[in-house]
Amino acid sequence: MAQDLRGALVGFCNPLLDISAVVDDGLLEQYKLKANDAILASPEHLPLFPTLIESYEAKFLPGGAGQNALRGAQLLLPADSAVFVGAVGEDDYAQKLKGAAEKAGLRTNYMVNKAKPTGTCALLITGPNRSMVANLSAAETYQFSHIAEPSNWKLIEQAKVFYITGFFFTVSPETIDAVAKHALENGKTFTMNISAPFVPQFYKEAVEKTIPYIDILFGNETEAAALAAAFDFGTDDIKVIAKRVADLPRAGDKPRTVVITQGAQSTVVATSDSDEVRVYAVSPVPKEEIGDTNGAGDAFVAAFLAQRILGHPVDVCVEAGHWLGGEVVRQIGPNYPEGELKFVSSGSFAPSVEKL
């Protein structure tokens, strides 16, 4: 008998409408941005948003890392398996986000702030790189009281797996804490993403408080290096960092898994219950087929979590992540291919294994 996966996956993040454009290095220099980074908008960045719309061929795309990941996961799971939670305004941008979610079959439970517009994220694409500048607006007003309402807390009670991005540390640490403790107390799976270097740099205390509850932690190599620096690991070796994070204190008995992607390079997986680190080769997408890399990391998480929820081992989860990440980089923006998405494991995908 098939398991009931309705509402099995619940995610929290900042729902943002992406304003994406191919730009030149001069625009990055003008706003003191790095070519491959993610930051929160300061007042000096606000003119960037109308500049993209007025002076470049900007595209409006449904975004926000968490909603991107849950859209992808839902496309690979049975109907009504995933629910996304975050805050939006009462405007056309919110309707665009909701429409994109509905197209993927993703259920949304938005807290609506009538006083602030829906958040946006400027995506500046230069070659294979993307620089993200997020103007959270309504998204940063999310309150724990929303999910604590009995009608909404039922989503938490029904879920089996939770996914929260590191970006949410800037918005509602109280929500992260409550969901993490619920997962621990009820034997559920709590997963997070480092999300951006600034998260461990500027929110170390909140990150340190939450890590004991994390069963699966995702991140890329830049984010992992920032976490290692914040925690004074004294190394930039990704394999060592992954294992060190896996071995940080845990609140429960379940082993922790740390998954670090490195773009077209290998993916590294370490667990707290083994001294072996698994390194998975990536089959790179030919340059001529690449649209842009925005959303590839979210797609990896989407497929990994979907396969995990379906009961598959980590080798299959990583293989699926590589596959869907590769499909997304062939698109423009954080979009999934049209038509039915179906992952079929090769049955032979395996890592090299190193002992630390």
Side-chain angles (χ1 to χ4, degrees), residues 308-330:
R308 175 73 178 233
I309 289 168
L310 292 171
H312 295 295
V314 68
D315 290 356
V316 174
C317 295
V318 173
E319 183 183 17
H322 287 179
W323 161 74
L324 192 55
E327 291 298 308
V328 166
V329 301
R330 291 178 168 91

Side-chain angles (χ1 to χ4, degrees), residues 13-36:
C13 186
N14 303 319
L16 306 171
L17 190 69
D18 290 344
I19 304 172
S20 175
V22 176
V23 303
D24 52 55
D25 291 337
L27 190 65
L28 297 181
E29 293 169 4
Q30 180 182 345
Y31 286 95
K32 299 179 181 178
L33 301 172
K34 297 177 182 177
N36 202 23

Side-chain angles (χ1 to χ4, degrees), residues 98-120:
K98 188 175 181 65
E102 289 176 347
K103 184 178 179 181
L106 174 63
R107 193 167 15 134
T108 56
N109 189 300
Y110 293 141
M111 186 193 92
V112 178
N113 185 329
K114 297 180 180 181
K116 282 200 168 190
T118 297
T120 51

Side-chain angles (χ1 to χ4, degrees), residues 269-285:
V269 176
T271 60
S272 58
D273 62 347
S274 172
D275 60 358
E276 295 181 343
V277 174
R278 304 166 79 85
V279 181
Y280 297 85
V282 175
S283 297
V285 176

Side-chain angles (χ1 to χ4, degrees), residues 3-11 70 74 77-85 105-107 152-163 182 188 309:
Q3 59 176 322
D4 183 3
L5 294 179
R6 286 176 295 178
L9 173 62
V10 171
L70 263 72
Q74 180 56 73
L77 290 168
D80 203 31
S81 293
V83 185
F84 176 78
V85 184
L106 174 63
R107 193 167 15 134
N152 293 331
W153 192 254
K154 288 180 181 178
L155 298 173
I156 304 302
E157 293 175 338
Q158 184 178 20
K160 297 178 173 67
V161 177
F162 302 98
Y163 175 65
H182 169 87
K188 300 178 179 183
I309 289 168

